[in-house]
Short mmCIF file of all heavy atoms in Angstrom, two decimals:
data_model
loop_
_atom_site.label_atom_id
_atom_site.label_comp_id
_atom_site.label_asym_id
_atom_site.label_seq_id
_atom_site.Cartn_x
_atom_site.Cartn_y
_atom_site.Cartn_z
N GLU A 1 10.93 -6.91 -27.03
CA GLU A 1 12.09 -7.66 -27.61
C GLU A 1 12.46 -7.11 -28.94
O GLU A 1 13.35 -7.60 -29.57
CB GLU A 1 11.90 -9.10 -27.52
CG GLU A 1 11.78 -9.73 -26.18
CD GLU A 1 12.01 -11.16 -26.07
OE1 GLU A 1 12.25 -11.81 -27.14
OE2 GLU A 1 11.93 -11.73 -25.00
N THR A 2 11.76 -6.05 -29.50
CA THR A 2 12.11 -5.43 -30.66
C THR A 2 12.22 -3.97 -30.52
O THR A 2 11.67 -3.43 -29.44
CB THR A 2 11.13 -5.79 -31.77
OG1 THR A 2 9.78 -5.36 -31.36
CG2 THR A 2 11.09 -7.27 -32.07
N GLY A 3 12.71 -3.17 -31.49
CA GLY A 3 12.71 -1.79 -31.31
C GLY A 3 13.98 -1.17 -30.69
O GLY A 3 14.70 -1.93 -30.04
N PRO A 4 14.13 0.09 -30.76
CA PRO A 4 15.37 0.72 -30.32
C PRO A 4 15.54 0.72 -28.82
O PRO A 4 16.57 0.94 -28.26
CB PRO A 4 15.40 2.10 -30.90
CG PRO A 4 13.85 2.45 -31.20
CD PRO A 4 13.35 1.07 -31.56
N TYR A 5 14.46 0.61 -28.08
CA TYR A 5 14.48 0.61 -26.66
C TYR A 5 14.61 -0.80 -26.00
O TYR A 5 14.54 -0.95 -24.84
CB TYR A 5 13.26 1.22 -26.02
CG TYR A 5 13.03 2.65 -26.40
CD1 TYR A 5 11.75 3.25 -26.25
CD2 TYR A 5 14.03 3.41 -27.02
CE1 TYR A 5 11.46 4.64 -26.51
CE2 TYR A 5 13.76 4.76 -27.41
CZ TYR A 5 12.56 5.36 -27.17
OH TYR A 5 12.29 6.60 -27.53
N LYS A 6 14.72 -1.91 -26.79
CA LYS A 6 14.58 -3.23 -26.31
C LYS A 6 15.49 -3.66 -25.19
O LYS A 6 15.17 -4.43 -24.36
CB LYS A 6 14.69 -4.20 -27.42
CG LYS A 6 16.01 -4.29 -28.14
CD LYS A 6 16.07 -5.30 -29.25
CE LYS A 6 17.36 -5.32 -30.01
NZ LYS A 6 17.35 -6.31 -31.15
N HIS A 7 16.69 -3.05 -25.08
CA HIS A 7 17.65 -3.36 -24.07
C HIS A 7 17.56 -2.44 -22.85
O HIS A 7 18.36 -2.62 -21.86
CB HIS A 7 19.09 -3.29 -24.68
CG HIS A 7 19.35 -4.40 -25.66
ND1 HIS A 7 19.36 -5.69 -25.32
CD2 HIS A 7 19.69 -4.36 -27.00
CE1 HIS A 7 19.58 -6.44 -26.44
NE2 HIS A 7 19.76 -5.57 -27.44
N LEU A 8 16.62 -1.52 -22.85
CA LEU A 8 16.52 -0.59 -21.68
C LEU A 8 15.77 -1.28 -20.56
O LEU A 8 14.82 -1.88 -20.79
CB LEU A 8 15.86 0.73 -22.08
CG LEU A 8 16.60 1.62 -23.07
CD1 LEU A 8 15.65 2.90 -23.40
CD2 LEU A 8 17.88 2.06 -22.52
N PRO A 9 16.18 -0.96 -19.39
CA PRO A 9 15.34 -1.49 -18.20
C PRO A 9 14.09 -0.63 -18.07
O PRO A 9 14.12 0.55 -18.40
CB PRO A 9 16.25 -1.27 -16.93
CG PRO A 9 17.15 -0.12 -17.35
CD PRO A 9 17.36 -0.31 -18.86
N GLY A 10 13.05 -1.23 -17.57
CA GLY A 10 11.76 -0.46 -17.47
C GLY A 10 10.97 -0.85 -16.26
O GLY A 10 10.47 -1.86 -16.10
N TYR A 11 11.10 0.13 -15.27
CA TYR A 11 10.28 0.01 -14.10
C TYR A 11 8.91 0.79 -14.30
O TYR A 11 8.86 1.72 -15.08
CB TYR A 11 10.98 0.56 -12.89
CG TYR A 11 11.97 -0.48 -12.22
CD1 TYR A 11 13.20 -0.67 -12.62
CD2 TYR A 11 11.51 -1.15 -11.10
CE1 TYR A 11 14.03 -1.54 -12.04
CE2 TYR A 11 12.29 -2.08 -10.50
CZ TYR A 11 13.63 -2.30 -10.91
OH TYR A 11 14.47 -3.15 -10.32
N ASP A 12 7.95 0.39 -13.55
CA ASP A 12 6.54 0.91 -13.65
C ASP A 12 6.67 2.50 -13.67
O ASP A 12 6.02 3.07 -14.47
CB ASP A 12 5.71 0.49 -12.46
CG ASP A 12 4.41 1.17 -12.46
OD1 ASP A 12 3.42 0.71 -13.10
OD2 ASP A 12 4.31 2.27 -11.70
N PHE A 13 7.32 3.14 -12.70
CA PHE A 13 7.36 4.64 -12.71
C PHE A 13 7.89 5.19 -14.01
O PHE A 13 7.41 6.24 -14.42
CB PHE A 13 8.31 4.92 -11.44
CG PHE A 13 8.06 6.39 -10.96
CD1 PHE A 13 7.09 7.28 -11.54
CD2 PHE A 13 8.78 6.86 -9.89
CE1 PHE A 13 6.94 8.50 -10.99
CE2 PHE A 13 8.70 8.14 -9.42
CZ PHE A 13 7.74 8.95 -9.96
N ILE A 14 8.93 4.58 -14.42
CA ILE A 14 9.48 5.11 -15.78
C ILE A 14 8.45 4.97 -16.86
O ILE A 14 8.33 5.86 -17.67
CB ILE A 14 10.78 4.25 -16.12
CG1 ILE A 14 11.83 4.38 -14.98
CG2 ILE A 14 11.33 4.80 -17.48
CD1 ILE A 14 12.23 5.77 -14.67
N ILE A 15 7.81 3.86 -16.91
CA ILE A 15 6.90 3.57 -17.94
C ILE A 15 5.59 4.49 -17.81
O ILE A 15 5.13 5.02 -18.79
CB ILE A 15 6.35 2.09 -17.88
CG1 ILE A 15 7.52 1.23 -18.02
CG2 ILE A 15 5.31 1.84 -18.94
CD1 ILE A 15 8.22 1.31 -19.34
N GLN A 16 5.13 4.74 -16.60
CA GLN A 16 4.07 5.71 -16.41
C GLN A 16 4.50 7.18 -16.95
O GLN A 16 3.73 7.83 -17.60
CB GLN A 16 3.69 5.86 -14.97
CG GLN A 16 2.95 4.70 -14.33
CD GLN A 16 2.25 5.03 -13.09
OE1 GLN A 16 1.59 6.12 -12.90
NE2 GLN A 16 2.24 4.18 -12.13
N ALA A 17 5.72 7.51 -16.74
CA ALA A 17 6.27 8.85 -17.28
C ALA A 17 6.28 8.77 -18.81
O ALA A 17 5.74 9.76 -19.37
CB ALA A 17 7.69 8.99 -16.72
N MET A 18 6.89 7.78 -19.40
CA MET A 18 7.03 7.75 -20.85
C MET A 18 5.78 7.57 -21.63
O MET A 18 5.59 8.00 -22.77
CB MET A 18 8.17 6.71 -21.22
CG MET A 18 9.51 7.04 -20.72
SD MET A 18 10.75 5.84 -21.13
CE MET A 18 10.72 6.06 -22.96
N SER A 19 4.86 6.77 -21.05
CA SER A 19 3.65 6.34 -21.78
C SER A 19 2.60 7.46 -22.02
O SER A 19 1.67 7.31 -22.77
CB SER A 19 2.93 5.22 -21.09
OG SER A 19 2.43 5.62 -19.84
N GLY A 20 2.73 8.58 -21.29
CA GLY A 20 1.72 9.63 -21.39
C GLY A 20 0.78 9.57 -20.22
O GLY A 20 0.02 10.51 -19.99
N LEU A 21 0.79 8.48 -19.36
CA LEU A 21 -0.15 8.42 -18.30
C LEU A 21 0.04 9.52 -17.23
O LEU A 21 -0.84 10.22 -16.76
CB LEU A 21 0.01 7.05 -17.54
CG LEU A 21 -0.59 5.88 -18.18
CD1 LEU A 21 -0.31 4.60 -17.50
CD2 LEU A 21 -2.12 6.08 -18.34
N MET A 22 1.35 9.80 -16.96
CA MET A 22 1.62 10.92 -16.01
C MET A 22 1.28 12.28 -16.51
O MET A 22 0.86 13.16 -15.78
CB MET A 22 3.03 10.93 -15.53
CG MET A 22 3.38 9.76 -14.56
SD MET A 22 5.09 9.77 -13.98
CE MET A 22 5.11 11.35 -13.05
N SER A 23 1.33 12.47 -17.89
CA SER A 23 1.06 13.73 -18.52
C SER A 23 -0.38 14.06 -18.41
O SER A 23 -0.84 15.33 -18.48
CB SER A 23 1.46 13.76 -19.89
OG SER A 23 0.60 13.06 -20.77
N ILE A 24 -1.26 13.12 -18.12
CA ILE A 24 -2.70 13.29 -18.04
C ILE A 24 -3.19 13.16 -16.67
O ILE A 24 -4.52 13.22 -16.42
CB ILE A 24 -3.60 12.50 -19.09
CG1 ILE A 24 -3.37 10.96 -18.81
CG2 ILE A 24 -3.19 12.78 -20.51
CD1 ILE A 24 -4.21 10.01 -19.61
N THR A 25 -2.38 12.89 -15.72
CA THR A 25 -2.81 12.65 -14.35
C THR A 25 -2.24 13.76 -13.45
O THR A 25 -1.08 14.20 -13.57
CB THR A 25 -2.18 11.36 -13.77
OG1 THR A 25 -2.53 10.22 -14.65
CG2 THR A 25 -2.71 10.99 -12.40
N GLY A 26 -3.10 14.23 -12.56
CA GLY A 26 -2.86 15.44 -11.84
C GLY A 26 -3.55 16.69 -12.43
O GLY A 26 -4.45 16.49 -13.34
N ASP A 27 -3.16 17.88 -11.91
CA ASP A 27 -3.78 19.05 -12.50
C ASP A 27 -2.62 20.12 -12.68
O ASP A 27 -1.56 19.82 -12.51
CB ASP A 27 -4.91 19.57 -11.57
CG ASP A 27 -4.48 19.72 -10.13
OD1 ASP A 27 -3.31 20.10 -9.90
OD2 ASP A 27 -5.28 19.60 -9.24
N ASP A 28 -3.12 21.37 -13.01
CA ASP A 28 -2.07 22.44 -13.24
C ASP A 28 -1.21 22.74 -11.98
O ASP A 28 -0.07 23.02 -12.14
CB ASP A 28 -2.75 23.66 -13.69
CG ASP A 28 -3.32 23.52 -15.09
OD1 ASP A 28 -2.88 22.68 -15.77
OD2 ASP A 28 -4.23 24.37 -15.51
#
């Protein structure tokens, strides 16, 4: 409820992408 993204919708898939989780999951 604070910060510049507070009004953006957030689904799990989007959050996995933005949080860094997807960047460390999988391989080359």
Side-chain angles (χ1 to χ4, degrees):
E1 296 195 359
T2 58
Y5 299 166
K6 65 182 180 182
H7 292 299
L8 294 178
Y11 274 83
D12 172 89
F13 198 0
I14 304 300
I15 301 300
Q16 287 199 43
M18 293 181 64
S19 66
L21 282 174
M22 286 183 65
S23 77
I24 60 172
T25 305
D27 54 31
D28 289 340

